[in-house]
Amino acid sequence: MIKHKLSYRKQKIFSGVAVFVFFLLILALRAFSTDYIETVDDPAFEKRIRPAVVFYHDDHNDRAGIDDCSVCHHVYENGIKTADMSVGMACSDCHMSGPAAAPDLIRVYHLQCRGCHLSEQAGPVTCGGCHKK
Amino acid sequence: MTKSLPTDLAVIPDKGVDGAAARLTPERVARVIQILLAEEGGARLKVYTETCVHCGLCSEACHFYLSNDKDPRFAPAAKVKQTLDPMIRKNGRVSVDFMKKACEIAFTECNLCRRCVMYCPFGIDISYLMLFVRRICHRLGMVPQYIQDTAHSHSATLNQMWVKEDEWIDTLQWQEDEARDEIPDLRIPLEKQGADVMYSVIGPEPKFRAQLIYQAAVIMHAAGVDWTMPATPGWDNSDMCMYTGDSEMMARLKKVHFETAMRLKTKRIVMGECGHAFRSVYDVGNRHLGWKMPPLPMVHAIEFYYELFRDGKLSLAKKYDVPLTLHDPCNVVRGRGLHEMARFVIHKTCTTFIEMHPNREHNYCCGAGGGVINCGPPYAKKRVEGNRVKADQLAAAKAKGARVIIAPCHNCHGGLEDIVKYYELDMEIKFLGDIIYECIEKGEVDS
Amino acid sequence: MMHELYGFLRGPMLWVALLVFFGGSGYRVAAMWRLARKKDAVIFNYSSGYYALRSIFHWLLPFGSRNMRNHPVMTVVAFVFHICLFLVPLFLSAHIILIKESWNVSWPWLPDHAADAMTWMVVAGCGFFAARRIIQPDVRYLTSTSDYLILAAIAVPFVSGTWAFHQWPAFPAATLVHMASAEILLMIIPFTRLSHMLFFPFTRGYMGSEFGAVRKARDW
């Protein structure tokens, strides 16, 4: 048990270092890249009540093994998901049109992100897990 | 805890309580408590004991607590904690010694004045809970001897003071004779059918304070009231059984009292200046008989005097000019809201009135009511020392000039007399009737 | 582990908690009502809507009763404590968003900094009540262990909630503690002295009726 814990601690240190290196890499990459996505910063939200969600688009998808853009950038027709994708559109184009308001958009973001995290048993689920200060 | 246990359990010796304790077994105690909790303990008992959040906001409502240097054991909620709470928690399995202490607390450390009810945010009725404890004590036969004696008198004679029927009639005729020296055409009408008013008094009036009947007769005469008094048992409106937990006997007493009035076909009952009797007739006894309100109108002397002055039935020969203050009795003020009427009468008849503070519904208890004074000499010192706050309140009124205290209640009278004497306040205590008698035009006066 | 616990606390456990809270509250009041019908018919016979409400009004109004004026500090703390205790959980943005996710209904929420301040008032209130239980002799005499446990049961969900909000160390764990402790709090309300929340209108209303309709006197 204790041994396991120690090795766990080591693991943690290791992963900490890895994360640090990773950050450095990203910073380096940022210098060369202008369209690297690292937050979900939807302009549809006029007034923020939480920090924007930290979200490294490509790393997330690499680690989650998501190749099909339509998994997230979905298109629904008559309530049925199609194979089409909505890359290039803002979420709010659909989810905040008509009478829908900010809570509606927040809702679908949460359902999409946390819903997947819960069903895949991976990724943050608590408020602070995504809305990092 | 263990250290303080002996003093906690120290009880004042009392023949009635100790005698019962000698006869009782823990099994019997448990059985009686279980029966009462099951048969008579309903939603009120449950909600009151389970809702109390132990906030202590009731503490300062209690004169016993304030007067005993804020000893936590005298806080109203603490009295429940020391009596009912363990009985309920242990389902009645408490010791005989525990019951002795519980008996002393419920009978002599709570006047059932309901002041704390007005200070509890939830309106938890501590007096109801203490009466529940007394009811348990009654069913265990564990009641302080002096008050139990009055309860015995009630059950044997239907009056509180072992007054025999002929003695009662004799007393009324004696008072009539005396009064006729002053007012030749005065009568105390006995057994008159269909009078407007049946006047009822408490047992101690014919026994010790017969002049009060004299005064009442003079007031009735001067106001031209069509009144009568019964010659049969039922004349006594007092009720110590209400306070000993003997609900059955209480109901019997009230039944006789109401039926006497109905037999005489009176339009209503007017009762003398007594508080507990009023509570018994107006609020408690009638309920045990299944009457939501008394079956015929009944008014307390304060209200009756108020009506007489309001309707101009009495005229004054003079005004009472000694500065005085008023003690608001719990049972007719918290129990019937008569405080403004009492002030109306005082303003009519007196020149200088000084309020004591707090007053009206918030007045401090006299310390005697709720049957506490009736528990007799063994507890007298504790009772008087347990109401120092009343002495302070009276002293403050005295400092403003008050020399007389009006106490329109027999128990308050007795309690205040003890307090005035013990704390050397040198104030005089009077009934409203005393003042009215002294000030009114009495009609034909034989010179 | 995190996901399973979160899923459990957010899903089945929340349902259990809500069921126990609402069902338990309903049961307690209904059972008491039945018992009162059987044993305390007096309550119904003497109940008066007007006088019950008159008394409740005076006791819900800050400084509306003499005893509240006698204890100004206690009155202020008690009112602030109870108001915040109700408002924060019902009008916290994060809670409303969660409800929005589940049931697609929402209502206006409090600014987060206000809710945070109010949370600390609840916690401070718990501290005040605990201190009062320790320091004031009459309250200490009345206090039993369960009274402290109840205060803790209220403080824990509020402290852990604000912990999660501020993302202090180990906040994901604090979030789970928050959810679990709040569910426990909900479930114990009907079955502990916290049930004063359910019975207040009844006890106060009954006493108001007796004092007002029968005894023609005030009870505040």
Side-chain angles (χ1 to χ4, degrees):
Chain A
M1 204 54 196
I2 292 164
K3 220 175 176 185
H4 178 77
K5 261 191 178 165
L6 280 173
S7 66
Y8 179 68
R9 188 169 291 170
K10 269 183 196 164
Q11 253 182 17
K12 259 177 104 180
I13 294 166
F14 179 70
S15 58
V17 172
V19 166
F20 183 69
V21 171
F22 183 71
F23 270 107
L24 282 181
L25 263 171
I26 285 166
L27 281 175
L29 270 169
R30 257 201 93 167
F32 302 103
S33 157
T34 49
D35 57 354
Y36 193 90
I37 296 162
E38 57 187 39
T39 59
V40 178
D41 197 1
D42 197 316
F45 293 120
E46 286 167 8
K47 203 177 131 210
R48 302 201 168 279
I49 55 171
R50 284 289 183 284
V53 169
V54 177
F55 178 69
Y56 300 106
H57 180 271
D58 294 1
D59 304 308
H60 174 267
N61 295 346
D62 281 350
R63 278 169 56 185
I66 301 171
D67 295 326
D68 179 2
C69 302
S70 79
V71 168
C72 301
H73 298 278
H74 50 236
V75 174
Y76 278 80
E77 257 170 34
N78 301 324
I80 298 155
K81 189 178 173 299
T82 66
D84 294 345
M85 43 195 177
S86 50
V87 178
M89 288 170 75
C91 301
S92 54
D93 286 352
C94 296
H95 291 291
M96 226 168 101
S97 61
D104 298 283
L105 185 58
I106 298 171
R107 174 170 187 257
V108 294
Y109 268 121
H110 287 176
L111 291 179
Q112 171 134 316
C113 300
R114 194 209 273 115
C116 189
H117 292 175
L118 277 175
S119 62
E120 297 300 323
Q121 303 260 311
V125 289
T126 62
C127 309
C130 295
H131 296 281
K132 286 205 187 297
K133 287 199 169 169
Chain B
M1 264 321 264
T2 40
K3 246 187 184 171
S4 59
L5 204 61
T7 49
D8 276 346
L9 287 175
V11 289
I12 292 171
D14 181 289
K15 254 191 160 172
V17 177
D18 297 339
R23 289 189 301 271
L24 285 168
T25 61
E27 293 72 34
R28 169 96 185 126
V29 169
R31 218 178 110 63
V32 167
I33 294 175
Q34 283 160 9
I35 289 172
L36 278 171
L37 288 179
E39 285 179 359
E40 297 181 16
R44 276 181 295 175
L45 179 73
K46 229 175 152 56
V47 172
Y48 289 157
T49 51
E50 290 177 16
T51 300
C52 172
V53 292
H54 304 150
C55 68
L57 284 174
C58 56
S59 306
E60 287 173 17
C62 184
H63 49 286
F64 275 106
Y65 172 80
L66 293 173
S67 304
N68 284 291
D69 300 321
K70 303 196 173 186
D71 183 335
R73 287 176 304 166
F74 289 97
K79 292 169 197 168
V80 181
K81 189 188 167 86
Q82 294 170 89
T83 56
L84 264 182
D85 276 352
M87 293 186 206
I88 294 170
R89 197 174 60 244
K90 298 175 182 170
N91 194 23
R93 287 186 197 83
V94 294
S95 67
V96 175
D97 281 344
F98 173 90
M99 277 314 302
K100 276 171 73 173
K101 187 67 195 170
C103 176
E104 184 177 324
I105 291 169
F107 274 97
T108 70
E109 292 174 14
C110 175
N111 293 95
L112 312 174
C113 78
R114 295 190 283 223
R115 191 169 189 261
C116 52
V117 179
M118 301 177 61
Y119 285 71
C120 171
F122 301 104
I124 292 172
D125 193 344
I126 302 279
S127 85
Y128 169 84
L129 297 175
M130 287 300 108
L131 269 171
F132 201 94
V133 178
R134 292 191 187 186
R135 175 81 175 144
I136 291 170
C137 292
H138 163 71
R139 290 281 290 263
L140 288 169
M142 183 185 263
V143 175
Q145 194 190 24
Y146 274 81
I147 191 169
Q148 186 57 49
D149 179 69
T150 63
H152 285 328
S153 170
H154 274 308
S155 62
T157 66
L158 297 171
N159 70 68
Q160 195 195 127
M161 288 283 137
W162 301 101
V163 177
K164 295 189 188 80
E165 239 176 294
D166 57 334
E167 290 172 347
W168 162 247
I169 296 165
D170 205 41
T171 305
L172 295 183
Q173 289 181 339
W174 162 45
Q175 288 309 311
E176 188 182 64
D177 269 356
E178 295 270 315
R180 283 167 81 97
D181 282 348
E182 190 182 354
I183 303 158
D185 61 340
L186 181 141
R187 295 293 317 271
I188 295 181
L190 271 183
E191 287 292 307
K192 184 178 172 187
Q193 297 276 314
D196 288 343
V197 165
M198 178 181 104
Y199 187 66
S200 66
V201 296
I202 64 168
E205 286 204 19
K207 192 86 175 178
F208 308 120
R209 292 183 189 266
Q211 86 283 1
L212 288 176
I213 296 172
Y214 175 122
Q215 287 178 5
V218 171
I219 294 170
M220 294 286 188
H221 178 82
V225 176
D226 176 20
W227 71 298
T228 186
M229 290 184 96
T232 59
W235 54 265
D236 182 4
N237 51 31
S238 78
D239 194 344
M240 278 303 127
C241 296
M242 168 174 73
Y243 285 151
T244 61
D246 189 350
S247 313
E248 292 79 5
M249 195 58 222
M250 167 182 72
R252 193 179 148 218
L253 294 171
K254 292 311 105 175
K255 190 159 186 269
V256 172
H257 183 242
F258 287 138
E259 283 179 353
T260 303
M262 288 171 183
R263 180 175 60 73
L264 293 175
K265 299 185 177 65
T266 61
K267 297 195 177 64
R268 59 179 186 162
I269 300 171
V270 171
M271 56 184 291
E273 292 178 57
C274 181
H276 93 273
F278 183 84
R279 179 179 185 150
S280 163
V281 181
Y282 179 77
D283 192 347
V284 185
N286 54 317
R287 298 184 184 199
H288 277 259
L289 290 168
W291 296 100
K292 184 173 176 181
M293 295 309 269
L296 72 163
M298 60 96 37
V299 296
H300 187 267
I302 294 175
E303 189 175 354
F304 184 64
Y305 300 149
Y306 161 80
E307 286 175 4
L308 295 182
F309 280 105
R310 184 197 60 194
D311 301 341
K313 295 273 174 64
L314 292 171
S315 46
L316 293 172
K318 61 162 186 170
K319 272 200 162 191
Y320 190 79
D321 58 3
V322 183
L324 48 74
T325 184
L326 170 71
H327 166 83
D328 290 289
C330 67
N331 284 321
V332 294
V333 170
R334 274 191 284 284
R336 182 55 183 79
L338 297 182
H339 40 279
E340 297 307 338
M341 291 185 196
R343 281 166 180 75
F344 178 90
V345 174
I346 289 171
H347 285 304
K348 277 274 176 200
T349 52
C350 307
T351 53
T352 319
F353 175 57
I354 296 153
E355 286 281 8
M356 60 172 80
H357 294 277
N359 55 47
R360 297 178 167 84
E361 287 103 329
H362 293 279
N363 184 31
Y364 288 127
C365 172
C366 64
V372 174
I373 195 171
N374 308 75
C375 291
Y379 306 97
K381 189 162 180 283
K382 178 179 182 175
R383 165 169 58 84
V384 178
E385 287 178 348
N387 208 355
R388 198 181 62 215
V389 66
K390 186 84 223 174
D392 295 342
Q393 186 194 17
L394 295 176
K398 189 186 173 190
K400 287 189 209 160
R403 282 163 51 203
V404 169
I405 308 158
I406 296 182
C409 165
H410 278 277
N411 272 328
C412 295
H413 239 257
L416 295 183
E417 268 167 13
D418 288 345
I419 286 167
V420 164
K421 207 181 295 166
Y422 185 85
Y423 295 97
E424 295 170 358
L425 290 171
D426 189 30
M427 294 170 91
E428 202 183 340
I429 301 151
K430 283 183 179 292
F431 288 101
L432 263 185
D434 294 330
I435 308 271
I436 295 169
Y437 168 78
E438 206 176 314
C439 297
I440 51 170
E441 295 277 9
K442 297 186 181 69
E444 286 176 59
V445 177
D446 200 17
S447 47
Chain C
M1 190 59 187
M2 179 80 191
H3 295 85
E4 283 141 8
L5 258 177
Y6 180 92
F8 173 70
L9 291 173
R10 174 88 195 272
M13 195 57 214
L14 181 60
W15 279 113
V16 170
L18 289 176
L19 213 75
V20 171
F21 170 64
F22 285 109
S25 299
Y27 167 77
R28 288 291 326 263
V29 171
M32 212 55 92
W33 191 277
R34 258 202 325 275
L35 182 62
R37 277 261 172 238
K38 211 170 124 197
K39 293 279 182 62
D40 303 69
V42 62
I43 293 172
F44 300 94
N45 288 331
Y46 291 88
S47 279
S48 140
Y50 170 75
Y51 289 112
L53 289 174
R54 185 179 77 159
S55 177
I56 291 169
F57 170 77
H58 278 278
W59 283 91
L60 284 183
L61 190 75
F63 298 101
S65 72
R66 183 188 171 99
N67 207 16
M68 290 188 212
R69 295 190 288 277
N70 286 352
H71 300 94
V73 178
M74 177 68 176
T75 303
V76 169
V77 173
F79 269 92
V80 168
F81 171 82
H82 282 96
I83 289 168
C84 295
L85 185 65
F86 273 88
L87 288 188
V88 172
L90 292 176
F91 294 96
L92 186 75
S93 62
H95 289 179
I96 295 171
I97 292 297
L98 287 171
I99 289 163
K100 173 78 184 167
E101 286 167 32
S102 298
W103 296 323
N104 205 7
V105 288
S106 67
W107 52 88
W109 52 63
L110 289 164
D112 280 330
H113 57 268
D116 195 39
M118 289 163 78
T119 298
W120 285 110
M121 287 183 201
V122 172
V123 177
C126 289
F128 174 85
F129 294 138
R132 200 168 162 273
R133 290 202 180 283
I134 294 164
I135 297 164
Q136 203 170 307
D138 58 323
V139 189
R140 184 169 62 217
Y141 184 84
L142 291 170
T143 300
S144 43
T145 319
S146 64
D147 294 313
Y148 290 115
L149 291 178
I150 283 170
L151 283 178
I154 293 163
V156 170
F158 279 83
V159 170
S160 56
T162 200
W163 193 292
F165 170 70
H166 288 289
Q167 301 181 18
W168 289 333
F171 69 85
T175 311
L176 295 183
V177 169
H178 171 70
M179 295 163 81
S181 59
E183 283 162 4
I184 290 170
L185 175 60
L186 272 181
M187 290 190 290
I188 64 172
I189 285 174
F191 307 104
T192 58
R193 292 187 186 281
L194 292 173
S195 61
H196 68 266
M197 168 184 150
L198 307 173
F199 293 119
F200 168 78
F202 297 100
T203 53
R204 189 76 259 162
Y206 169 60
M207 207 34 75
S209 300
E210 286 275 15
F211 266 80
V214 181
R215 300 175 191 148
K216 321 269 188 234
R218 296 170 302 170
D219 66 331
W220 57 85

